[in-house]
Amino acid sequence: MALADSARGLPNGGGVSPAAGPGSGAAGSSAFPEIVELNVGGQVYVTRRGTVVSVRDSLLWRMFSQQQPGELPRDSKGRFFLDRDGFLFRYILDYLRDLQLVLPEHFPERSRLQREAEYFQLPELARRLAQSRGAAGGGTRPAALNRDGSLCVDEPPSLLGYLEAEPPEAGGAASAPSPTSSRSPSGGPLLTPSQSLDGGAARRSGYITIGYRGSYTIGREAQADAKFRRVARITVCGKTALAKEVFGETLNESRDPDRPPERYTARYYLKFNFLEQAFDRLSEAGFRMAACSSTGTCAFAPEQGGPADDKIWTSYTEYVFCRD
């Protein structure tokens, strides 16, 4: 989805916004290098100084035109540091380049991106994000979803619990409720795990595979203790749209950004390290476990300073979840 803007900056962020007026980026221009390196929440960005000062009176404009380099915080490698969401900053930077923003389809983090736009004091971007959220919340969901004040339009469709009851057929009595369905307090039937709201249609089916590597050491027979290492990373394989629907902002897409929603990926991983948390999210989204497999290897550990009969086991485990 493109958020177009009638005003355009110079190509590649090579100047200031037309609304900024003459000389808006002149102050302090000689103090900063032409190419600046930014560390935003651990993500490194390299861009032109003209890009970060392209919107007058924004936070970045004040930092890089009204202050001196020595006044700004830096990381251990001398890059200018901003303690914000490094993943979402890529969209802020895209907007600063030409005052347009193109978001991926099924983008689940409009609310957080709007918050980032407000923090960086980009009111036009924040306004357009708010409009796009309002259009998505009011134009693609059934009216019954908005009549109950307890329902939040920002929640993804899979987390909304109620549907409007179907009207009776013309001239006939209301159809009997399904024996497997239950009624919500608002009068509509409660969704079963196999149902969802996706523009009024049944939600898509598919598979998601969760994988992780682990290792542990079993002591000598006289010692029953086992030393486990924590799970370092939980990987997510499957269709991009499904992965984003289930895991939302907890999904790390940095290794495969801008993947089309109907394409498959094996490069996503989660920002948390608890398998049970991943299982809970999948269960709440209507997935069930279909298969599980694991492989393991064993090695002795004398070279690591341990007794000769201590063994280190390493394993890789995958859990396959599906939704019909």
Side-chain angles (χ1 to χ4, degrees):
M1 183 198 69
L3 302 178
D5 195 306
S6 58
R8 281 179 169 267
L10 296 180
N12 301 318
V16 297
S17 166
S24 59
S29 61
S30 60
F32 288 92
E34 176 63 20
I35 304 299
V36 295
E37 294 186 49
L38 306 174
N39 179 346
V40 185
Q43 299 286 333
V44 177
Y45 294 89
V46 181
T47 186
R48 298 180 60 186
R49 177 186 168 275
T51 298
V52 296
V53 300
S54 60
V55 176
R56 185 180 179 87
D57 294 328
S58 67
L59 176 64
L60 291 172
W61 179 86
R62 289 202 304 272
M63 289 174 60
F64 289 92
S65 66
Q66 303 298 302
Q67 294 183 265
Q68 296 298 317
E71 299 173 342
L72 302 181
R74 296 177 182 250
D75 65 8
S76 59
K77 296 186 177 180
R79 295 177 290 231
F80 297 107
F81 180 75
L82 294 162
D83 189 15
R84 301 301 297 179
D85 190 308
F87 172 74
L88 293 178
F89 185 76
R90 63 196 303 260
Y91 301 107
I92 299 293
L93 197 58
D94 281 346
Y95 175 78
L96 292 175
R97 289 188 175 110
D98 56 9
L99 299 185
Q100 287 189 339
L101 181 67
V102 178
L103 297 178
E105 294 292 335
H106 308 288
F107 185 69
E109 300 188 275
R110 285 186 177 86
S111 297
R112 296 184 62 205
L113 183 56
Q114 181 183 348
R115 184 177 64 188
E116 294 300 299
E118 292 168 351
Y119 174 83
F120 287 105
Q121 299 175 19
L122 300 168
E124 181 63 19
L125 175 58
R127 182 182 67 82
R128 292 180 179 276
L129 284 167
Q131 288 178 344
S132 69
R133 285 176 51 205
T140 60
R141 296 180 184 174
L145 295 178
N146 298 322
R147 73 178 185 178
D148 188 345
S150 64
L151 297 181
C152 177
V153 297
D154 286 336
E155 291 295 327
S158 61
L159 300 182
L160 294 173
Y162 306 107
L163 269 174
E164 173 71 3
E166 294 183 2
E169 296 181 2
S175 59
S178 169
T180 60
S181 65
S182 58
R183 290 270 166 192
S184 71
S186 61
L190 187 66
L191 287 180
T192 64
S194 62
Q195 293 176 305
S196 178
L197 303 177
D198 188 4
R203 65 184 172 188
R204 60 172 62 85
S205 60
Y207 290 82
I208 290 180
T209 300
I210 301 296
Y212 78 95
R213 287 181 173 84
S215 66
Y216 58 92
T217 300
I218 297 180
R220 291 166 290 179
E221 293 183 0
Q223 296 177 333
D225 295 339
K227 298 178 181 179
F228 290 88
R229 294 178 58 188
R230 69 182 181 88
V231 176
R233 179 171 291 178
I234 301 175
T235 60
V236 178
C237 308
K239 190 173 289 187
T240 301
L242 281 178
K244 291 183 177 181
E245 175 194 337
V246 173
F247 296 108
E249 64 184 29
T250 66
L251 187 70
N252 193 318
E253 308 171 48
S254 60
R255 297 196 305 168
D256 199 2
D258 293 335
R259 189 76 168 172
E262 298 304 316
R263 297 290 299 275
Y264 292 87
T265 180
R267 296 175 59 83
Y268 288 170
Y269 61 93
L270 300 179
K271 297 178 181 179
F272 53 82
N273 297 323
F274 297 98
L275 282 171
E276 294 79 5
Q277 188 174 351
F279 294 167
D280 285 344
R281 283 182 169 267
L282 286 159
S283 177
E284 291 168 359
F287 283 80
R288 59 181 176 83
M289 187 182 297
C292 171
S293 65
S294 181
T295 60
T297 59
C298 175
F300 291 94
E303 67 278 2
Q304 299 185 10
D309 54 351
D310 272 10
K311 298 178 181 179
I312 296 180
W313 292 83
T314 60
S315 63
Y316 178 73
T317 306
E318 285 187 340
Y319 300 92
V320 181
F321 289 82
C322 72
R323 186 170 67 187
D324 300 326

